[in-house]
Amino acid sequence: MISDLAGMLGDPLMQRALVVACLVGLVAPVIGTYLVQRRLSLLGDGIGHVALTGVALGWLVGNLTNLVPKDALAIPGAVLAAVVGAVVIELVRSHGRTSGDVALALLFYGGIAGGVLIMSLAGGSNANLVGYLFGSISTVSTQDLVLTVALSVVVLVVGVGLRAALFAVCHDEEFARAAGLPVRALNITIAVVAALTVTVAMRVVGVLLVSALMIVPVAVAQLVTSSFRRTMLTAMAIGVVVCVSGLTITYWHDASPGATIVVLAIGLYALVAAVRPLVVRARRGGTRDPHPDVADDVVLTSGDPR
Amino acid sequence: MSDATQPVIEAAGVTVVLGGSPIVRGVDLTIGQGEVVALLGANGSGKSTLVRALVGVVPIERGSIRLLGAPLGRAVPWQRIGYVPQRVTAATGVPATAVEVVLSGTLHGHHLVPPRDARDRARAALDAVGLAAAADMAVQTLSGGQQQRVLIARALVRRPDLLLLDEPVAGVDVPSQRAFATTLAELAAGGTTVLVVLHELGALAPLIGRAVVLRHGTIAHDGAPPPPQAEHADPDHVHLHPHDGDRDPAHDEAGVTPTVRWQR
């Protein structure tokens, strides 16, 4: 058992994969917390689909310029496309011409269709896209690792460092505007950081499941917390645990790491949701009156007038 | 800037167009330091829109607005202005404690990180609205009236010189309204200028020195608080509340509304 673990940790491929999984688990819920707060849980999915077009564009440019390997520009292309897509969604949302819902739907379809179309122009096959659709953490290169670390640092610095301002904008945009806060800049910051997070997480779970890593840990955390700060911290911890354990499981059992991680996270949600009512009831003792002690607005003729 | 004779709010010819219709039409409003002004009017008369325009939440079509001597925009000392939007709830998709919500009131302009003493100030502001015990509770577990008070604390935490409140006591029980009136009286006594959107003066009546009544987006009255319609005191008077449904056409004909009726 111990030697098995040592073997896993000694494998350089697995070392890189573990570092990436750890970082993604830590970073994805940070921005996910803001997205859940403003009820934009599906934004990550929309950005992910656009990122796929970016992957194909990177591939196309790489092919045209005879780069080796052909996919050297795939991740930079994804970053660029995701950022542009995120900013466009934010502008559409804030101008209110189209509902956020419809804007997201357009991105979903446009992103996938654009990706497949451009990929065929680039001379690649849809098989080349599958790695991005479902993740390919087992083939993380040193270059990927460096990019992941850099993007993760950016997301953490912005998402945690500016949390008071980002909280204010996500909690009550009208109040933030009336406080003179740079609301548009903050909104675009959230969109861009979400885009960076998507491209980082894409490596681990793929475009189709990217949003799960941002949203599900937050969904689990908010079942058991009462503060924003603790929700974010708990979600980050859950993210790291499910990413690392999912990856570890697939080291021994042949399964898709991305899918395993997401299934673990959703299983955890189901477990916590089932256990929570029992714990809450036990803690409250079932006797406490939940109503605040406020005098009645009316005079009651019978009974205690207070 | 802090010249005592300078108006705190100076609005001239303010017109707000939303969705193609003029909601506020050519409103002139000047409020001096230390005044406590009630903004009254029917549902749909443009009260909320006017206040939202004053704090820059909705754009104005024509006219000009100066707050504390500065034209609306970056030059306004936002840290001296507290705004309480009209809200049914203070909760969003993720849990947040009352302190966390109030903390966002310490941010303004390009100050995006709360000051060092922000947490203590947030607790003090919650104490001022009688919610010290609920400081660490999730806002979504609080009652509607308590959530409204959390939003008031968020405006008070920056110790504003100008306070704008949009129906702060709508849906709040009478004891809480009285408590709020006491808080507001203390602030006014300290020199805070207050503009408060109300449906009826209620518990705040003793504080209000001046009332501005909007009707169809223009000012119909500006001066001493007018007495309410006699039927308000009538035991048979049916008191309709906002969001209950459509306006009564019979009252619309008279240019007044079911919710607040003023002698002409």
XYZ file of all heavy atoms in Angstrom, chain A residues 33 36-37 39 161-162 164-165 167-168 170-172 174-175 177-182 186 218 222 225-229 231 292 294-295 297, chain B residues 52 55-57 78 83 85 87 90 92-97 100-101 104-105 107-110 112-114 136 138 146 154 158 173-175:
516
model
N -17.815 30.833 -6.230
C -18.601 31.427 -5.147
C -19.294 32.709 -5.619
O -20.470 32.926 -5.343
C -17.697 31.743 -3.948
O -16.894 30.596 -3.680
C -18.516 32.055 -2.707
N -22.147 31.756 -8.131
C -23.344 31.255 -7.461
C -24.062 32.422 -6.782
O -25.280 32.528 -6.812
C -22.995 30.167 -6.430
C -24.221 29.768 -5.613
C -22.425 28.945 -7.124
N -23.286 33.331 -6.191
C -23.890 34.451 -5.487
C -24.746 35.305 -6.408
O -25.814 35.755 -6.019
C -22.785 35.309 -4.862
C -23.326 36.292 -3.851
C -22.283 37.281 -3.418
O -21.218 37.382 -4.002
N -22.592 38.026 -2.372
N -26.116 34.199 -9.108
C -26.973 33.256 -9.833
C -26.611 33.180 -11.306
O -27.448 33.275 -12.191
C -28.453 33.639 -9.650
C -28.844 33.716 -8.175
C -30.319 33.928 -7.988
N -30.634 34.537 -6.691
C -30.698 33.862 -5.559
N -30.485 32.575 -5.539
N -30.996 34.483 -4.427
N -8.082 38.636 -2.879
C -7.654 39.978 -2.483
C -8.757 41.019 -2.609
O -8.883 41.910 -1.780
N -9.563 40.889 -3.638
C -10.616 41.888 -3.866
C -11.971 41.391 -3.375
O -13.011 41.862 -3.822
C -10.730 42.203 -5.362
C -9.710 43.162 -5.950
C -9.960 43.364 -7.437
C -9.759 44.517 -5.238
N -13.893 41.756 -0.823
C -14.905 42.663 -0.275
C -15.620 43.403 -1.407
O -16.847 43.508 -1.424
C -14.260 43.652 0.683
N -14.845 43.889 -2.373
C -15.443 44.640 -3.476
C -16.252 43.723 -4.387
O -17.356 44.078 -4.819
C -14.351 45.349 -4.271
N -17.630 40.931 -3.549
C -18.828 40.566 -2.785
C -19.880 41.673 -2.903
O -21.055 41.406 -3.156
C -18.470 40.335 -1.311
C -19.667 40.152 -0.413
C -20.233 38.896 -0.242
C -20.226 41.233 0.255
C -21.340 38.728 0.568
C -21.339 41.071 1.074
C -21.889 39.808 1.228
N -19.427 42.921 -2.726
C -20.374 44.046 -2.759
C -21.096 44.105 -4.103
O -22.313 44.279 -4.151
C -19.631 45.359 -2.486
N -21.490 41.646 -6.360
C -22.326 40.468 -6.608
C -23.536 40.467 -5.688
O -24.590 39.941 -6.027
C -21.532 39.182 -6.388
S -20.239 38.966 -7.586
N -23.396 41.041 -4.508
C -24.490 41.006 -3.545
C -25.570 42.008 -3.904
O -26.759 41.709 -3.827
C -23.952 41.278 -2.143
C -25.002 41.230 -1.083
N -25.579 42.351 -0.562
C -25.605 40.190 -0.486
C -26.489 41.997 0.331
N -26.523 40.699 0.391
N -25.179 43.205 -4.280
C -26.161 44.254 -4.536
C -25.526 45.279 -5.465
O -24.885 46.231 -5.030
C -26.560 44.902 -3.206
C -27.743 45.857 -3.368
O -28.030 46.256 -4.509
O -28.363 46.196 -2.355
N -26.817 47.553 -7.319
C -27.349 48.912 -7.211
C -26.663 49.676 -6.088
O -26.276 50.833 -6.237
C -28.860 48.844 -6.966
C -29.485 50.210 -6.776
C -31.001 50.158 -6.796
O -31.565 49.200 -7.347
O -31.608 51.085 -6.234
N -26.496 48.997 -4.938
C -25.834 49.663 -3.820
C -24.384 49.980 -4.183
O -23.876 51.062 -3.873
C -25.887 48.777 -2.570
C -25.147 49.360 -1.408
C -25.748 50.332 -0.623
C -23.845 48.986 -1.118
C -25.073 50.902 0.436
C -23.160 49.553 -0.057
C -23.782 50.507 0.719
N -23.144 50.607 -7.031
C -23.105 51.751 -7.928
C -23.320 53.042 -7.144
O -22.648 54.044 -7.384
C -24.202 51.576 -8.980
C -24.026 52.432 -10.171
C -24.687 51.810 -11.359
N -23.962 50.620 -11.779
C -24.252 49.933 -12.867
N -25.225 50.312 -13.624
N -23.542 48.877 -13.200
N -24.245 53.012 -6.191
C -24.527 54.204 -5.394
C -23.401 54.515 -4.417
O -23.408 55.563 -3.788
C -25.840 54.034 -4.641
N -22.449 53.588 -4.260
C -21.293 53.866 -3.408
C -20.127 54.357 -4.249
O -19.025 54.528 -3.741
C -20.888 52.603 -2.635
N -20.383 54.544 -5.546
C -19.331 55.035 -6.431
C -18.291 53.992 -6.773
O -17.231 54.323 -7.303
N -18.571 52.708 -6.487
C -17.603 51.664 -6.822
C -17.534 51.509 -8.347
O -18.532 51.715 -9.034
C -18.016 50.324 -6.194
C -18.003 50.252 -4.668
C -18.476 48.881 -4.205
C -16.631 50.529 -4.114
N -16.372 51.145 -8.875
C -16.254 50.944 -10.327
C -16.918 49.633 -10.729
O -16.262 48.628 -10.986
C -14.736 50.905 -10.547
C -14.161 50.490 -9.238
C -15.099 50.957 -8.171
N -15.341 46.024 -12.071
C -15.377 44.851 -11.194
C -16.104 43.690 -11.874
O -15.688 42.534 -11.770
C -16.050 45.206 -9.864
C -15.224 46.110 -8.950
C -16.069 46.599 -7.779
C -13.996 45.376 -8.420
N -19.082 24.752 -4.131
C -19.799 25.864 -3.483
C -21.185 25.396 -3.032
O -21.647 25.729 -1.933
C -19.918 27.071 -4.435
C -20.652 28.209 -3.762
C -18.550 27.517 -4.899
N -22.271 25.642 0.876
C -23.317 26.525 1.385
C -24.392 25.760 2.153
O -25.220 26.364 2.823
C -23.924 27.349 0.263
C -24.677 26.524 -0.730
C -25.429 27.401 -1.701
O -25.404 28.609 -1.589
N -26.080 26.783 -2.651
N -22.656 26.188 5.790
C -22.059 27.414 6.319
C -23.118 28.511 6.401
O -24.181 28.416 5.801
C -20.931 27.923 5.405
O -21.464 28.105 4.109
C -19.778 26.954 5.366
N -22.780 29.563 7.147
C -23.685 30.705 7.213
C -22.985 31.991 6.811
O -23.597 33.043 6.806
C -24.255 30.839 8.624
O -23.210 31.005 9.542
N -21.698 31.930 6.478
C -21.026 33.160 6.074
C -20.369 32.977 4.714
O -20.061 31.859 4.298
C -19.972 33.573 7.115
O -18.720 32.999 6.814
N -20.193 34.090 4.026
C -19.619 34.074 2.691
C -18.170 33.580 2.735
O -17.760 32.746 1.938
C -19.669 35.488 2.109
C -19.224 35.574 0.684
C -20.080 35.242 -0.345
C -17.941 35.980 0.378
C -19.671 35.316 -1.659
C -17.523 36.056 -0.938
C -18.387 35.725 -1.952
N -17.422 34.095 3.709
C -16.013 33.738 3.833
C -15.841 32.238 4.050
O -15.053 31.581 3.388
C -15.413 34.506 5.017
C -13.906 34.622 5.004
C -13.471 35.463 6.190
N -13.488 34.673 7.405
C -12.397 34.067 7.884
N -11.247 34.195 7.280
N -12.458 33.347 8.979
N -18.004 29.937 3.364
C -18.466 29.200 2.181
C -17.325 29.068 1.192
O -17.053 27.989 0.660
C -19.649 29.933 1.518
O -20.680 30.101 2.476
C -20.179 29.143 0.334
N -38.191 35.764 16.036
C -37.655 36.809 16.900
C -38.725 37.271 17.892
O -39.917 37.195 17.604
C -37.278 37.918 15.929
C -38.105 37.673 14.712
C -38.349 36.199 14.644
N -40.718 39.805 19.081
C -41.164 41.143 18.723
C -42.600 41.300 19.221
O -43.407 40.382 19.119
C -41.105 41.351 17.188
C -41.648 42.710 16.808
C -39.682 41.194 16.700
N -42.901 42.499 19.741
C -44.257 42.731 20.229
C -45.245 42.692 19.070
O -44.905 43.016 17.929
C -44.328 44.087 20.926
N -48.276 43.705 16.537
C -48.743 44.965 15.968
C -50.178 45.251 16.382
O -50.664 46.361 16.237
C -48.682 44.905 14.439
C -47.254 45.062 13.941
O -46.407 45.430 14.763
O -47.020 44.824 12.757
N -33.004 57.023 -7.180
C -31.979 56.220 -7.849
C -31.174 57.085 -8.820
O -29.965 56.884 -8.979
C -32.626 55.045 -8.572
C -33.277 54.073 -7.597
C -34.082 52.992 -8.289
N -33.241 51.897 -8.723
C -33.412 51.238 -9.863
N -34.389 51.566 -10.672
N -32.614 50.270 -10.194
N -28.496 59.135 -6.873
C -27.262 58.449 -6.484
C -26.574 57.796 -7.682
O -25.628 57.039 -7.517
C -27.504 57.390 -5.381
C -27.889 58.056 -4.081
C -28.552 56.374 -5.806
N -27.051 58.098 -8.886
C -26.334 57.644 -10.072
C -26.586 56.202 -10.458
O -25.819 55.627 -11.219
N -27.653 55.606 -9.950
C -27.939 54.213 -10.314
C -28.641 54.139 -11.669
O -28.401 53.230 -12.447
C -28.781 53.528 -9.213
C -29.220 52.141 -9.649
C -27.982 53.425 -7.922
N -18.278 59.881 -2.107
C -19.255 58.814 -1.871
C -19.223 58.299 -0.447
O -20.205 57.773 0.057
C -19.029 57.660 -2.849
C -19.367 58.021 -4.250
C -18.497 58.224 -5.274
C -20.681 58.248 -4.799
N -19.180 58.560 -6.428
C -20.513 58.580 -6.161
C -21.961 58.195 -4.271
C -21.587 58.859 -7.001
C -23.033 58.468 -5.100
C -22.836 58.807 -6.455
N -26.868 55.053 1.155
C -28.070 54.796 0.349
C -28.664 53.454 0.758
O -27.960 52.460 0.883
C -27.689 54.799 -1.133
C -28.769 54.322 -2.081
C -30.030 54.913 -2.096
C -28.519 53.278 -2.965
C -31.006 54.472 -2.979
C -29.489 52.839 -3.854
C -30.732 53.438 -3.848
O -31.690 53.000 -4.715
N -31.319 50.971 -0.676
C -32.240 50.696 -1.775
C -33.490 49.990 -1.292
O -33.521 49.440 -0.187
C -31.428 49.796 -2.711
C -30.347 49.231 -1.883
C -30.125 50.147 -0.717
N -35.707 47.072 -1.054
C -35.386 45.655 -1.183
C -36.392 44.832 -0.422
O -36.881 45.252 0.621
C -34.021 45.354 -0.583
C -32.858 45.648 -1.466
C -32.656 44.568 -2.506
N -31.544 44.915 -3.361
C -31.615 45.839 -4.312
N -32.735 46.482 -4.514
N -30.575 46.131 -5.056
N -32.223 40.778 1.758
C -30.800 41.070 1.721
C -30.013 39.825 1.358
O -28.796 39.808 1.426
C -30.330 41.608 3.079
N -28.694 36.531 -1.043
C -28.411 36.143 -2.429
C -28.119 34.648 -2.468
O -28.410 33.939 -1.509
C -27.192 36.904 -2.987
O -26.114 36.731 -2.088
C -27.502 38.364 -3.175
N -27.548 34.178 -3.544
C -27.347 32.748 -3.737
C -26.416 32.065 -2.739
O -26.516 30.870 -2.528
N -25.510 32.823 -2.148
C -24.534 32.247 -1.218
C -24.806 32.826 0.165
O -25.132 34.003 0.276
C -23.100 32.585 -1.688
C -22.077 32.213 -0.645
C -22.794 31.873 -2.988
N -24.704 32.027 1.219
C -24.927 32.585 2.560
C -23.970 33.735 2.847
O -22.826 33.723 2.393
C -24.636 31.412 3.498
C -24.539 30.201 2.674
C -24.297 30.613 1.261
N -24.439 34.724 3.598
C -23.560 35.795 4.054
C -24.084 36.243 5.409
O -25.299 36.284 5.622
C -23.571 36.953 3.069
N -23.179 36.559 6.326
C -23.630 37.024 7.628
C -23.985 38.506 7.546
O -23.590 39.207 6.610
C -22.540 36.844 8.699
O -21.428 37.649 8.319
C -22.113 35.390 8.810
N -20.984 40.658 7.232
C -20.385 40.679 5.890
C -21.143 41.626 4.965
O -20.527 42.345 4.167
C -20.348 39.267 5.303
C -19.276 38.406 5.936
C -19.268 36.981 5.393
O -20.348 36.399 5.215
O -18.180 36.448 5.170
N -22.474 41.606 5.070
C -23.264 42.511 4.225
C -22.966 43.962 4.600
O -22.753 44.806 3.731
C -24.768 42.204 4.362
C -25.598 43.248 3.633
C -25.078 40.818 3.811
N -19.689 45.627 3.303
C -19.561 46.183 1.956
C -19.922 47.669 1.958
O -19.586 48.379 1.015
C -20.378 45.384 0.932
O -21.712 45.284 1.336
N -20.583 48.138 3.016
C -20.862 49.566 3.136
C -19.635 50.401 3.465
O -19.687 51.624 3.388
N -16.927 50.247 1.747
C -16.206 50.495 0.498
C -16.842 51.678 -0.229
O -18.041 51.900 -0.127
C -16.286 49.267 -0.413
C -15.867 47.942 0.185
C -16.121 46.826 -0.804
C -14.419 47.971 0.601
N -16.044 52.420 -0.960
C -16.597 53.532 -1.746
C -15.561 53.950 -2.763
O -14.351 53.776 -2.537
C -16.941 54.714 -0.836
C -15.780 55.193 -0.030
N -14.881 56.092 -0.530
C -15.347 54.852 1.202
C -13.952 56.309 0.403
N -14.207 55.566 1.441
N -16.044 54.482 -3.875
C -15.140 54.970 -4.910
C -14.092 53.929 -5.258
O -14.424 52.798 -5.597
N -12.836 54.294 -5.137
C -11.790 53.333 -5.466
C -11.174 52.709 -4.223
O -10.107 52.106 -4.289
C -10.745 53.976 -6.373
C -11.277 54.161 -7.764
N -11.172 53.210 -8.743
C -12.008 55.170 -8.310
C -11.791 53.622 -9.827
N -12.299 54.810 -9.595
N -11.374 49.767 -2.421
C -11.971 48.463 -2.666
C -11.659 47.462 -1.558
O -12.111 46.327 -1.606
C -11.495 47.918 -4.013
C -11.832 48.806 -5.213
C -11.341 48.179 -6.505
C -13.326 49.063 -5.302
N -10.871 47.873 -0.586
C -10.553 46.984 0.534
C -11.055 47.660 1.806
O -10.833 48.857 1.996
C -9.032 46.733 0.605
C -8.687 45.861 1.788
C -8.542 46.085 -0.688
N -11.772 46.936 2.677
C -12.317 47.569 3.881
C -11.184 48.103 4.785
O -10.120 47.494 4.853
C -13.055 46.431 4.594
C -13.214 45.349 3.581
C -12.107 45.514 2.593
N -23.687 37.695 13.480
C -23.009 36.571 12.833
C -23.985 35.554 12.268
O -23.595 34.448 11.905
C -22.050 35.908 13.824
C -20.908 36.840 14.177
O -20.315 37.407 13.234
O -20.632 37.030 15.376
N -26.665 34.222 9.365
C -26.833 34.375 7.920
C -28.056 35.246 7.655
O -29.106 35.049 8.278
C -27.002 33.005 7.267
N -35.867 42.453 9.695
C -34.472 42.433 10.149
C -33.522 42.612 8.968
O -32.510 43.305 9.085
C -34.178 41.120 10.878
C -34.829 41.040 12.249
C -34.657 39.660 12.872
O -34.799 38.639 12.207
N -34.362 39.623 14.154
N -25.901 48.918 6.715
C -24.885 48.994 5.663
C -24.697 50.438 5.194
O -23.601 50.849 4.822
C -25.316 48.113 4.487
C -24.340 48.065 3.348
C -24.803 47.133 2.258
N -26.031 47.588 1.628
C -26.589 47.006 0.577
N -26.053 45.930 0.060
N -27.694 47.474 0.057
N -20.801 53.846 7.201
C -19.802 54.821 6.755
C -20.034 56.188 7.377
O -19.398 57.154 6.995
C -19.831 54.919 5.245
C -21.209 55.207 4.707
C -21.170 55.393 3.231
N -21.060 54.125 2.541
C -20.926 54.025 1.227
N -20.844 55.093 0.507
N -20.865 52.865 0.660
N -42.448 45.904 11.022
C -43.470 46.012 12.068
C -43.344 47.322 12.843
O -42.312 47.983 12.825
C -43.397 44.811 13.009
C -42.036 44.698 13.635
O -41.749 45.472 14.550
O -41.230 43.860 13.172
N -44.412 47.698 13.531
C -44.488 49.027 14.160
C -43.374 49.252 15.197
O -42.738 50.306 15.174
C -45.891 49.244 14.762
C -45.930 50.539 15.553
C -46.925 49.277 13.649
N -43.091 48.300 16.096
C -41.990 48.557 17.046
C -40.665 48.823 16.337
O -39.912 49.713 16.738
C -41.943 47.269 17.875
C -43.281 46.652 17.729
C -43.775 47.023 16.373
